[in-house]
Amino acid sequence: MAMMDIPLNTWLLFGHAPRYFPDTEVVTRFADGRMHRYTYADFARRAQQLMHALDVLGLGAGERVATLAWNSYRHLEAYWAVPCAGRVLHTLNLRLSPDDLTYIIRHAEDRAILVDPDLLPLLEKVHALGGLTGVRHLVVLGDTVPDTKLPGAVGYEDLIAAQPGDYAPRDIPERTPLGLCYTSGTTGRPKGVVYTHRSTVLHALAASSQAAMAIGPGDRVLAVVPMFHANAWGVPYTATPYGAKQVFSSGPLDPAALVELMSAERVTVAAGVPTIWMSVADEIAARGGLPDLRHLLCGGARPPRALIERYRRDFGIPLIQVWGMTETSPLASLAWPKERMRDWDEQRITEAVRIRAGLPLPGVQMEIRGEAGQPLEWDGTSMGELLIRGPWIADSYLGGQGAAQFTDDGWFRTGDIAVGSPDGYLVIADRAKDLIKSGGEWISSVDMESAVMALPEVAEAAVIAVPDDKWQERPLICIAVQPGAEVTLERVRQHLEKSGFAYWQLPDRIEVMDTVPRTGVGKFDKKTLRDRFGA
Amino acid sequence: MAMMDIPLNTWLLFGHAPRYFPDTEVVTRFADGRMHRYTYADFARRAQQLMHALDVLGLGAGERVATLAWNSYRHLEAYWAVPCAGRVLHTLNLRLSPDDLTYIIRHAEDRAILVDPDLLPLLEKVHALGGLTGVRHLVVLGDTVPDTKLPGAVGYEDLIAAQPGDYAPRDIPERTPLGLCYTSGTTGRPKGVVYTHRSTVLHALAASSQAAMAIGPGDRVLAVVPMFHANAWGVPYTATPYGAKQVFSSGPLDPAALVELMSAERVTVAAGVPTIWMSVADEIAARGGLPDLRHLLCGGARPPRALIERYRRDFGIPLIQVWGMTETSPLASLAWPKERMRDWDEQRITEAVRIRAGLPLPGVQMEIRGEAGQPLEWDGTSMGELLIRGPWIADSYLGGQGAAQFTDDGWFRTGDIAVGSPDGYLVIADRAKDLIKSGGEWISSVDMESAVMALPEVAEAAVIAVPDDKWQERPLICIAVQPGAEVTLERVRQHLEKSGFAYWQLPDRIEVMDTVPRTGVGKFDKKTLRDRFGA
């Protein structure tokens, strides 16, 4: 005996917000403009009511309770109540097709689904495909239950209203499953990642670090990243116990409304994918900046350099790259500057830090391995697959799928091609499947996209490989131009050459379109682009 | 299977500094003014040499390796090498008497001692008392071995020189003991607290939080708190993997040299007891402030309000209270403001936050219990004993001593008398044994000291209880005045009355002295004062 043997479970953290931050607010803006605000004392009471309700519904220990929902205070209640009550929270991606949802709900053996009212039509389609045969409870996350073809739907408020607001803490062993999230695989069916109480508590402790999201009681945090996407990067499990005010924007993205919300609630830290920060930049400019904002966390894809520079130059806001995956809980590395860079000018910091994927968080180990599996030096040039291990990294997918992504010696193969810099910063060159192999050399699609998006007339750019008889593959750039603007292949080639691309890397072809299609998690949908243009 | 089952041990963190922060510096200033600086790459190589050396010495797994040393880069190497090599680091308090050291070294069954050259005379006294009969290896932490009566002392540099700089990571189960530190108990013999790999890794993750020490790769950290005192508050286990530059001041405190070091190395975060920050304030003022310093961590005792106000007003530096004990690893609560206080003026923040002991860290649970053991409300008035539990809190002392401090329901009794504020901030009223019980009411010695130290003519003040036939106990104030100043009982009484103390609380007696005596860890030595004046 030495130190207390206390399990790392959600109960270790749940009591903090109501006890030490009873008056701190949770604010939700709904798509129709309606605002909801309450305190962590309210949150904790309602979350405990929900725990009782799950018991009353007769759900067994470890059974899956799914959410099909936007970000909101009710979703936050489910994030905590479901695992605290010994069930597993399964966040369904509302951007997936009814077919994929049907597969996932059945594969996960979901027994209850909490669904937002406006997503009932989507769930009806799933029902029509037989996706709900194993689901025993449908709970609508609203004040009332709309007309629906779904049988037996009950209202969330009705469900919890009669329940008491206190619930005796459960003694949950730390390796008990807590949550489930499917990755939108580009090959094969989606695969399920199971988070445990232990992994989630460790991730929450790591996430509040000055080296990670830097969230404390002085912060007001807006996770633009959806709660159905990799635990909203851990924000709900971090901001709640650390007593940060939480701000949710519910429903599809409306740039003007989002910036208005950030301004009105004086958000200090926000997290989202690069396309979010691209889409709201003009709105922030129109307001003359967001003075309360300390930093933006930007992940899911590499932000274009021009975007990083614009936020820093025009708004004084550092855009901190985050790298992670559904399989990594997700925080694995973040691009904070080092102490010896304090006197560097911003351009130098951008090049050394901000355009990179970050410094690995303590607790996470990384290796870059060559094609023969040998570890590569972090020398700034050796390129290989990134492997990762740590106590909040998946060791398998639900049901044993995708076993090839886990090595015999205990590492997860990320499928990302990376270079390690000598000073410890990770550079993600590309997804392995997005790299363009041309004439025996590699071209990074991400590098090329970042460069092309620096052109003022370009709104978005996605680079894919197209087959080529002579060179094996050649890059093709899919471009969405700014309203009223035009762009030519010659202009793009000249710009890329000036940006340092070699002559043999320059594209022979561009395709101009209104918008670049996106996946369910908001990334460029290269699979669709390859289908359309790859022939 | 779900998430990787990777043990929380020092190997999870050790590789970070050399890999991702190879060029970041560790700087040591020795008492004679000599400076030593090297990088984390150097640190890691030498730490691994020390791991091999421990193997070569033939120390068994789990055997205790003690240090009797000031803060330095060699002490940092021992902090990591001893547990990574599967032994237990026992930090000896060099301010203890030879008699206490003899008891502790024997009780801990120390098998090796790493000792600073200037502390050899102290160790010779221990030897004369028979304290080293079980110690097989003496290693002098210097470039050479001075003349000493101690047999068989070897030099640290000689010990590690021939060893290789890489060491294969050990697979250490997370509940394995890692460290040992004795508390300087005021009753009975010192008691040993055993830290585990798990508790230390969890504490390191928690400590870098924005809600805790807020240490990241952009920081330069100076732990003024000794490395023989509660893990230097966890700084060595946090700053190293998080890549903060570390600055050590080796040897006894020299205020001018310390401030010179902080300025020259551009320290951003520093940690120490209130008396340190009192003693260096004039030096900081003489320099016109320390512009790189973001915040000071202040714990071990409650800092006087006047000190907090001076640092904020004159230097723009927030002094963040830290509360913890050897038994709590030690970080348990820190006094950061909440988000809704962002617009408050400094006086209001000082009253609501800075003069309090802080918000409990996520992972730590606290209860304030009444005399019948019942939990008290955090209502701002109910006063009782503070109890604490969590995965980095001790569940026992080495050898089962002091069992009464651990409750049957799994809590550690801190011996501190506390009040919880309704908004979640902990207020430590006093040590239970230092409270003054006068006429059936309680007087907080800490409150009275803080008020008296606001008088400009007072340098230090310690309040003790003296027996009184009529009132049971009465306060007596021991005062060290500023050079050339004088103070009278009447002046003190008037000031306390203006500060809000009730008439019956005012002291009937003061004692003026040159300096207030201190304990081995730098706190006011009330035991000595009670012996001298209590009769």
Side-chain angles (χ1 to χ4, degrees):
Chain A
M1 305 297 270
M3 289 280 135
M4 291 183 184
D5 203 359
I6 293 187
L8 306 177
N9 63 35
T10 47
W11 283 104
L12 187 64
L13 305 180
F14 176 74
H16 257 64
R19 176 139 210 182
Y20 309 121
F21 305 95
D23 301 328
T24 299
E25 282 187 318
V26 178
V27 179
T28 306
R29 181 194 184 279
F30 288 94
D32 59 6
R34 195 164 38 94
M35 297 292 294
H36 178 276
R37 50 180 73 234
Y38 70 6
T39 66
Y40 277 127
D42 301 321
F43 153 79
R45 191 182 60 250
R46 287 168 51 89
Q48 289 174 90
Q49 289 180 291
L50 177 55
M51 296 178 208
H52 280 293
L54 297 173
D55 289 349
V56 170
L57 290 178
L59 293 161
E63 286 198 315
R64 263 71 64 208
V65 175
T67 56
L68 185 67
W70 305 100
N71 293 9
S72 79
Y73 66 99
R74 290 193 185 98
H75 208 162
L76 182 69
E77 289 161 15
Y79 254 65
W80 287 91
V82 174
C84 278
R87 281 76 176 191
V88 175
L89 179 80
H90 177 197
T91 50
L92 292 165
N93 184 340
L94 57 85
R95 296 232 169 75
L96 293 181
S97 67
D99 182 56
D100 270 347
L101 283 171
T102 296
Y103 167 80
I104 289 172
I105 291 167
R106 294 175 66 110
H107 187 263
E109 302 178 37
D110 292 333
R111 292 291 170 253
I113 300 181
L114 314 185
V115 56
D116 267 343
D118 62 326
L119 298 171
L120 283 168
L122 173 58
L123 206 55
E124 286 168 0
K125 289 179 192 159
V126 172
H127 183 43
L129 292 170
L132 305 187
T133 50
V135 175
R136 298 196 301 265
H137 307 283
L138 281 179
V139 181
V140 179
L141 294 165
D143 298 317
T144 57
V145 179
D147 275 344
T148 172
K149 293 172 208 153
L150 296 170
V154 300
Y156 182 86
E157 297 302 328
D158 291 339
L159 182 74
I160 70 169
Q163 301 302 329
D166 59 332
Y167 188 95
R170 284 181 175 230
D171 188 17
I172 301 173
E174 64 188 40
R175 287 172 175 81
T176 305
L178 156 146
L180 175 60
C181 187
Y182 280 71
T183 62
S184 42
T186 45
T187 56
R189 286 291 198 176
K191 296 185 280 288
V193 175
V194 177
Y195 307 104
T196 65
H197 282 262
R198 173 179 162 105
S199 71
T200 302
V201 169
L202 289 170
H203 186 267
L205 294 182
S208 96
S209 162
Q210 185 78 8
M213 298 199 288
I215 293 176
D219 284 305
R220 309 178 185 115
V221 182
L222 171 65
V224 187
V225 54
M227 293 172 85
F228 54 78
H229 182 197
N231 305 315
W233 300 358
V235 172
Y237 290 124
T238 305
T240 307
Y242 281 92
K245 167 172 159 177
Q246 274 176 94
V247 182
F248 295 108
S249 175
S250 199
L253 178 72
D254 173 339
L258 187 72
V259 175
E260 161 64 28
L261 182 68
M262 292 173 77
S263 173
E265 301 301 330
R266 303 182 58 187
V267 165
T268 59
V269 179
V273 293
T275 49
I276 296 286
W277 307 127
M278 284 182 222
S279 66
V280 301
D282 288 343
E283 291 288 339
I284 296 175
R287 286 188 175 267
L290 288 169
D292 289 289
L293 202 57
R294 287 197 295 125
H295 55 270
L296 286 178
L297 302 162
C298 186
R302 196 209 295 182
R305 176 171 179 156
L307 185 76
I308 295 167
E309 290 173 336
R310 180 177 184 192
Y311 269 79
R312 186 74 212 188
R313 185 186 60 236
D314 294 355
F315 314 139
I317 301 171
L319 210 143
I320 308 295
Q321 276 204 55
V322 179
W323 182 86
M325 303 173 72
T326 304
E327 293 88 339
T328 66
S329 288
L331 299 186
S333 72
L334 292 99
W336 289 98
K338 296 184 178 182
E339 55 86 21
R340 69 190 152 82
M341 301 171 181
R342 287 204 164 217
D343 298 326
W344 289 13
D345 63 39
E346 193 50 40
Q347 189 189 332
R348 197 169 165 205
I349 294 180
T350 298
E351 278 165 20
V353 179
R354 302 207 194 284
I355 60 170
R356 294 174 167 177
L359 296 162
L361 282 178
V364 165
Q365 298 178 328
M366 291 188 177
E367 266 191 20
I368 298 171
R369 292 192 184 173
E371 294 195 11
Q374 81 283 17
L376 301 178
E377 287 296 307
W378 285 45
D379 56 9
T381 54
S382 301
M383 190 184 280
E385 187 179 10
L386 178 67
L387 285 88
I388 184 167
R389 69 193 303 266
W392 56 87
I393 313 297
D395 73 354
S396 58
Y397 292 113
L398 185 64
Q401 295 173 290
Q405 274 185 259
F406 304 92
T407 70
D408 291 341
D409 59 344
W411 293 78
F412 169 65
R413 300 180 54 172
T414 66
D416 272 1
I417 300 300
V419 178
S421 79
D423 59 348
Y425 287 90
L426 180 72
V427 179
I428 303 291
D430 217 330
R431 293 293 294 165
K433 63 187 181 336
D434 292 339
L435 264 188
I436 298 145
K437 288 132 202 126
S438 184
E441 298 287 339
W442 283 354
I443 303 171
S444 159
S445 67
V446 183
D447 282 346
M448 192 170 281
E449 288 159 6
S450 181
V452 172
M453 282 193 274
L455 279 169
E457 58 265 46
V458 172
E460 298 174 334
V463 175
I464 58 168
V466 290
D468 184 276
D469 286 345
K470 182 168 175 192
W471 301 107
Q472 185 183 2
E473 290 182 349
R474 294 293 299 152
L476 179 149
I477 313 186
C478 304
I479 295 177
V481 294
Q482 298 284 3
E486 289 185 13
V487 70
T488 63
L489 174 63
E490 199 44 40
R491 162 88 168 144
V492 169
R493 285 173 60 96
Q494 280 172 6
H495 171 72
L496 287 175
E497 200 164 4
K498 267 195 298 184
S499 306
F501 283 82
Y503 188 78
W504 63 268
Q505 295 178 315
L506 303 184
D508 317 303
R509 185 176 156 202
I510 66 172
E511 291 285 343
V512 176
M513 55 197 67
D514 289 341
T515 57
V516 176
R518 295 188 181 281
T519 67
V521 296
K523 298 181 191 178
F524 292 139
D525 185 353
K526 296 193 178 181
K527 199 173 161 200
T528 296
L529 291 172
R530 275 190 288 261
D531 290 347
R532 201 189 302 172
F533 301 112
Chain B
M1 306 297 270
M3 290 279 135
M4 292 182 184
D5 203 357
I6 293 186
L8 306 177
N9 63 34
T10 46
W11 283 104
L12 187 64
L13 305 180
F14 176 73
H16 258 63
R19 176 140 210 180
Y20 309 121
F21 306 96
D23 300 328
T24 299
E25 282 187 320
V26 178
V27 179
T28 305
R29 183 196 183 278
F30 288 94
D32 59 6
R34 198 165 35 94
M35 298 291 295
H36 178 276
R37 48 181 75 233
Y38 70 4
T39 67
Y40 277 128
D42 300 322
F43 154 78
R45 192 183 59 250
R46 286 168 52 90
Q48 289 174 90
Q49 289 179 291
L50 178 55
M51 296 179 209
H52 281 293
L54 296 173
D55 289 349
V56 169
L57 290 179
L59 292 162
E63 285 198 314
R64 263 72 64 210
V65 175
T67 57
L68 184 67
W70 304 99
N71 293 8
S72 78
Y73 67 98
R74 291 193 184 99
H75 209 162
L76 182 70
E77 289 161 14
Y79 254 65
W80 286 91
V82 173
C84 278
R87 279 79 175 190
V88 175
L89 179 81
H90 176 197
T91 50
L92 291 166
N93 185 341
L94 57 86
R95 296 232 170 74
L96 293 181
S97 66
D99 181 57
D100 270 346
L101 284 172
T102 297
Y103 167 80
I104 289 174
I105 290 167
R106 295 174 65 109
H107 187 264
E109 302 178 37
D110 293 332
R111 292 290 170 256
I113 299 181
L114 315 186
V115 56
D116 267 343
D118 61 328
L119 299 171
L120 283 168
L122 173 59
L123 206 55
E124 287 168 1
K125 290 179 190 159
V126 172
H127 182 43
L129 292 170
L132 304 186
T133 49
V135 175
R136 298 196 300 266
H137 307 282
L138 281 180
V139 180
V140 179
L141 294 166
D143 298 318
T144 56
V145 179
D147 274 344
T148 172
K149 293 172 210 153
L150 297 169
V154 300
Y156 183 87
E157 299 301 328
D158 290 338
L159 182 73
I160 70 169
Q163 301 302 327
D166 58 333
Y167 189 94
R170 284 182 175 230
D171 188 18
I172 300 174
E174 63 188 41
R175 287 173 176 80
T176 305
L178 155 146
L180 174 61
C181 187
Y182 279 71
T183 63
S184 43
T186 45
T187 55
R189 285 290 199 177
K191 297 184 279 289
V193 175
V194 177
Y195 308 103
T196 64
H197 282 263
R198 173 180 162 106
S199 71
T200 302
V201 170
L202 288 170
H203 186 268
L205 294 182
S208 95
S209 162
Q210 185 77 10
M213 298 199 289
I215 293 175
D219 284 305
R220 309 179 186 114
V221 183
L222 170 66
V224 187
V225 53
M227 294 172 86
F228 54 77
H229 183 198
N231 304 314
W233 301 357
V235 171
Y237 291 124
T238 304
T240 308
Y242 281 92
K245 168 173 160 177
Q246 274 176 93
V247 182
F248 295 107
S249 175
S250 199
L253 178 72
D254 172 341
L258 187 72
V259 174
E260 162 64 28
L261 182 67
M262 292 173 77
S263 173
E265 302 301 329
R266 302 180 60 187
V267 165
T268 61
V269 179
V273 293
T275 49
I276 296 288
W277 306 127
M278 284 183 224
S279 67
V280 301
D282 289 342
E283 292 288 339
I284 297 176
R287 287 188 174 266
L290 289 169
D292 290 288
L293 202 57
R294 288 197 295 124
H295 56 270
L296 285 179
L297 301 162
C298 186
R302 196 209 292 180
R305 177 171 178 155
L307 185 76
I308 296 168
E309 289 173 337
R310 180 178 185 191
Y311 269 79
R312 185 76 211 185
R313 184 187 62 238
D314 294 355
F315 314 139
I317 299 171
L319 210 143
I320 308 295
Q321 275 204 56
V322 178
W323 183 86
M325 303 173 71
T326 305
E327 293 88 339
T328 66
S329 289
L331 298 186
S333 72
L334 291 101
W336 289 99
K338 297 183 177 184
E339 55 86 21
R340 70 191 153 81
M341 300 171 181
R342 286 205 165 217
D343 299 325
W344 289 13
D345 63 39
E346 194 51 39
Q347 189 189 334
R348 199 170 164 203
I349 294 180
T350 297
E351 277 164 21
V353 180
R354 301 206 193 282
I355 60 170
R356 295 175 166 177
L359 296 163
L361 282 179
V364 166
Q365 298 179 328
M366 291 187 177
E367 266 191 19
I368 297 171
R369 292 192 184 171
E371 293 195 12
Q374 79 284 16
L376 301 178
E377 287 296 306
W378 285 46
D379 56 9
T381 54
S382 300
M383 191 183 278
E385 188 181 8
L386 179 66
L387 286 87
I388 183 166
R389 68 194 302 265
W392 57 87
I393 313 297
D395 73 353
S396 58
Y397 293 114
L398 186 64
Q401 295 173 289
Q405 275 184 259
F406 304 91
T407 71
D408 290 341
D409 58 345
W411 294 77
F412 169 65
R413 298 180 57 170
T414 65
D416 272 0
I417 301 299
V419 178
S421 80
D423 59 347
Y425 287 90
L426 179 71
V427 180
I428 303 291
D430 218 331
R431 292 292 295 166
K433 63 187 178 339
D434 292 338
L435 264 186
I436 298 145
K437 288 133 202 124
S438 184
E441 300 285 339
W442 283 354
I443 302 170
S444 160
S445 67
V446 183
D447 283 345
M448 191 170 282
E449 288 159 7
S450 180
V452 173
M453 281 193 273
L455 279 169
E457 57 267 47
V458 173
E460 297 175 334
V463 176
I464 58 167
V466 290
D468 185 276
D469 286 344
K470 182 168 177 191
W471 301 107
Q472 185 183 2
E473 291 181 350
R474 294 294 297 154
L476 178 149
I477 313 187
C478 305
I479 295 177
V481 294
Q482 298 285 4
E486 290 186 13
V487 70
T488 63
L489 174 63
E490 199 44 42
R491 162 88 168 144
V492 169
R493 285 174 59 96
Q494 280 172 6
H495 171 72
L496 287 175
E497 199 165 5
K498 269 195 297 183
S499 305
F501 282 82
Y503 188 78
W504 62 267
Q505 296 179 314
L506 302 183
D508 317 304
R509 183 177 157 202
I510 65 173
E511 291 285 344
V512 177
M513 54 198 69
D514 290 340
T515 57
V516 176
R518 296 187 181 282
T519 66
V521 297
K523 299 180 192 179
F524 292 140
D525 186 352
K526 297 193 178 181
K527 201 173 159 202
T528 295
L529 291 172
R530 273 191 290 260
D531 290 347
R532 199 187 306 171
F533 301 112

